[in-house]
Amino acid sequence: MKYKVRHSTRYEYPEAVYRCSNLAYVLPRDTERQRCQQSGVQITPWPLHAMERQDYFGNRSYHFSIEQPHTVLEVTATSWVDLDPWRELPSLDFGDGLGVARERLRASRDSEDLLAREYVLDSPLVVANGALREYAMPSFDSRRTLLSAVQELTQRIYADFEYSPGFTDVATPLDAVLEHRRGVCQDFAHLAIGCVRAMGFPARYVSGYLETLPPPGSEKLIGSDESHAWFAVYSPGEGWFEFDPTNNKMAAEQHIITGWGRDYSDVAPLRGVLFGGGGSQKLSVSVDVERVGW
């Protein structure tokens, strides 16, 4: 698949911002199945400094600063991405059982296994606790394979939780999401990560885009796509596998990755520090994912 992705963010401030420094994760990274052929970032007003760097997790981070008064900030990233489809989705009923996978992860000195163990630890927005473990337990029967257990957990989150835009924000605690059974894709990814970590396995947050298709006979609306989030679990000896609890599926050819980390705080699309701006700001985001070839 070949995609063109356009991600536009606009901030409007009641008073002038005199200086700001920002960090953006809006450029797709390369993976085993994904290749970013071309990308660019357009910023208004023109930044005094702008540069791309690779962060700790191997993501493409874009840093920029503006040092002129402005009441509107616009950041638009445009990328062209090639994505290999799965020839067939992996069978999740084969592989190590839960006990074997946990012990293999604990005892292994393989470099990939050692790096993955970092994702068992708590992170700023995901702290594994008894409530998450209790919710996860029914899926993690000791007779199952790790990946089939995670698949069932994904299905349960999809069935048990209501997709409810506006109910949560970045600061909403995970405990509140679990209590009220409501949230958005970011919350469901964090919930799954917390459950998997509570059971002793590595899980990471994946940020990116999802191509959404209009109903048959309808034209796709500009700006109808959104930033999306899902999660990945690590199986020793097999690697990372991605699951999308918002849509109850494994991430496949319609999922385009910008980056991954411990949780949302590692790969927020745009964050920064500003001087001035007055009171509350107005934010608008538009994302277009267009399939442009095969």
Side-chain angles (χ1 to χ4, degrees):
M1 307 291 185
K2 297 182 182 294
Y3 290 101
K4 177 184 177 182
V5 182
R6 184 177 184 274
H7 183 162
S8 182
T9 304
R10 178 184 174 94
Y11 282 97
E12 298 180 33
Y13 308 102
E15 299 177 12
V17 172
Y18 295 97
R19 180 181 180 183
C20 65
S21 296
N22 302 275
L23 172 62
Y25 285 94
V26 290
L27 299 174
R29 62 177 292 163
D30 289 339
T31 71
E32 291 182 358
R33 296 179 51 238
Q34 174 179 297
R35 295 166 301 282
C36 185
Q37 302 293 0
Q38 182 181 347
S39 59
V41 182
Q42 182 178 353
I43 301 170
T44 304
W46 191 260
L48 179 64
H49 302 287
M51 65 178 299
E52 180 183 330
R53 297 179 59 186
Q54 187 177 86
D55 74 359
Y56 172 80
F57 302 102
N59 304 312
R60 299 172 65 189
S61 60
Y62 194 83
H63 305 248
F64 66 93
S65 62
I66 299 171
E67 298 189 10
Q68 58 177 297
H70 58 279
T71 56
V72 175
L73 170 63
E74 290 186 295
V75 181
T76 299
T78 306
S79 303
W80 284 262
V81 180
D82 290 350
L83 193 60
D84 297 333
W86 285 104
R87 293 182 180 178
E88 59 178 328
L89 290 175
S91 176
L92 305 183
D93 292 323
F94 296 94
D96 289 341
L98 289 168
V100 173
R102 187 180 290 109
E103 177 58 24
R104 183 172 179 176
L105 183 69
R106 185 195 68 79
S108 174
R109 293 298 177 264
D110 176 80
S111 60
E112 190 172 2
D113 293 345
L114 291 173
L115 288 172
R117 280 161 56 175
E118 175 180 12
Y119 292 97
V120 182
L121 304 175
D122 290 339
S123 56
L125 299 178
V126 181
V127 177
N129 56 30
L132 293 172
R133 181 178 175 83
E134 182 179 354
Y135 181 80
M137 278 292 291
S139 298
F140 284 75
D141 186 291
S142 60
R143 294 166 294 182
R144 310 189 68 154
T145 66
L146 170 59
L147 295 178
S148 66
V150 174
Q151 182 183 46
E152 182 181 292
L153 174 68
T154 299
Q155 294 169 344
R156 289 176 51 220
I157 293 174
Y158 176 79
D160 292 348
F161 288 76
E162 176 186 352
Y163 184 81
S164 182
F167 179 74
T168 60
D169 57 30
V170 176
T172 302
L174 193 50
D175 287 345
V177 176
L178 185 60
E179 177 185 356
H180 296 284
R181 303 293 173 103
R182 299 172 64 186
V184 292
C185 57
Q186 170 192 306
D187 302 305
F188 302 154
H190 281 161
L191 175 65
I193 291 167
C195 288
V196 172
R197 289 179 184 170
M199 300 306 299
F201 296 102
R204 68 188 182 194
Y205 183 94
V206 187
S207 179
Y209 308 106
L210 175 64
E211 180 197 28
T212 54
L213 302 176
S218 301
E219 292 187 3
K220 184 174 179 178
L221 299 177
I222 300 298
S224 61
D225 300 296
E226 299 179 349
S227 296
H228 193 48
W230 56 101
F231 76 102
V233 62
Y234 182 77
S235 177
E238 296 181 289
W240 290 94
F241 293 82
E242 299 169 31
F243 295 83
D244 181 353
T246 305
N247 295 291
N248 189 25
K249 62 186 297 184
M250 292 190 72
E253 59 267 15
Q254 291 174 280
H255 292 73
I256 301 168
I257 298 173
T258 52
W260 57 61
R262 299 165 300 169
D263 57 39
Y264 172 85
S265 66
D266 286 329
V267 286
L270 183 61
R271 68 197 318 175
V273 177
L274 58 85
F275 298 88
S280 60
Q281 58 209 18
K282 179 181 178 181
L283 168 65
S284 57
V285 178
S286 173
V287 175
D288 298 310
V289 178
E290 178 185 2
R291 191 180 299 188
V292 294
W294 297 83

